[in-house]
């Protein structure tokens, strides 16, 4: 609970998505209203598809932030079996081959997530060049 609750109340995601949503042209929302769409349908069919690159970036950034967390688990978790892999890697010393293999395994989920979300990042960069 001590690791999860601070992340729930973090304002970074709200700020990032708000900044991304400010660049959605209001003409799309007005057109959906004229077609008879309600607020929920406008959100689901107009806003969410346009915010997908921002959501992908937010997911990747938050995942990397929480995956690399070291200080909070060291402070709040006493049981070494409950501590994340990042804490274990900071304590790993000895044979360099084991440290390298553990680091590669530790890095694999972040690389795979980035490769999956790469198309959304490219789309976000293309959309940011459009002047509204």
């Amino acid at each position: 609970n001590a690791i999860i609750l601070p992340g729930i109340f973090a304002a970074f995601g709200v700020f990032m998505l708000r900044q991304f949503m400010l660049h959605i042209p209001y003409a799309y929302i007005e057109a959906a209203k004229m077609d008879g769409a309600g607020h929920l349908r406008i959100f689901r069919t107009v806003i969410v598809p346009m915010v997908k690159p921002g959501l992908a970036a937010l997911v990747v950034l938050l995942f990397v932030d929480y995956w690399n967390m070291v200080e909070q688990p060291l402070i709040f978790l006493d049981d070494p079996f409950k501590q994340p892999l990042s804490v274990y890697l900071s304590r790993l010393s000895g044979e360099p081959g084991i440290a390298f293999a553990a680091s590669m395994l530790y890095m694999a989920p972040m690389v795979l997530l980035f490769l999956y979300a790469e198309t959304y990042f490219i789309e976000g960069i293309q959309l940011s060049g459009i002047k509204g």
Side-chain angles (χ1 to χ4, degrees):
N1 289 339
I3 303 296
I4 297 170
L5 283 178
I8 291 173
F9 297 109
F12 175 70
V14 175
F15 174 74
M16 185 174 167
L17 287 180
R18 179 193 177 274
Q19 292 301 105
F20 201 84
M21 285 183 186
L22 285 177
H23 296 290
I24 294 175
Y26 192 70
Y28 291 127
I29 297 169
E30 286 179 346
K33 282 182 185 177
M34 291 184 70
D35 287 341
H39 293 295
L40 184 61
R41 185 164 181 180
I42 291 172
F43 180 74
R44 189 182 50 200
T45 60
V46 176
I47 294 175
V48 171
M50 295 183 88
V51 178
K52 275 187 183 178
L55 283 172
L58 180 65
V59 166
V60 170
L61 290 173
L62 288 178
F63 179 78
V64 169
D65 185 36
Y66 291 124
W67 186 257
N68 291 328
M69 194 178 289
V70 175
E71 294 87 11
Q72 278 185 331
L74 278 174
I75 294 169
F76 294 128
L77 300 176
D78 294 331
D79 188 9
F81 292 108
K82 292 182 180 178
Q83 291 180 342
L85 189 57
S86 58
V87 175
Y88 175 74
L89 283 177
S90 68
R91 294 180 183 167
L92 190 62
S93 62
E95 201 170 321
I98 293 174
F100 179 73
S103 298
M104 294 303 290
L105 286 174
Y106 175 73
M107 191 174 58
M110 288 186 285
V111 171
L112 291 174
L113 181 66
F114 176 75
L115 290 175
Y116 176 73
E118 183 179 14
T119 57
Y120 292 111
F121 283 131
I122 293 170
E123 185 180 337
I125 290 170
Q126 288 173 348
L127 288 176
S128 66
I130 297 173
K131 299 290 183 189

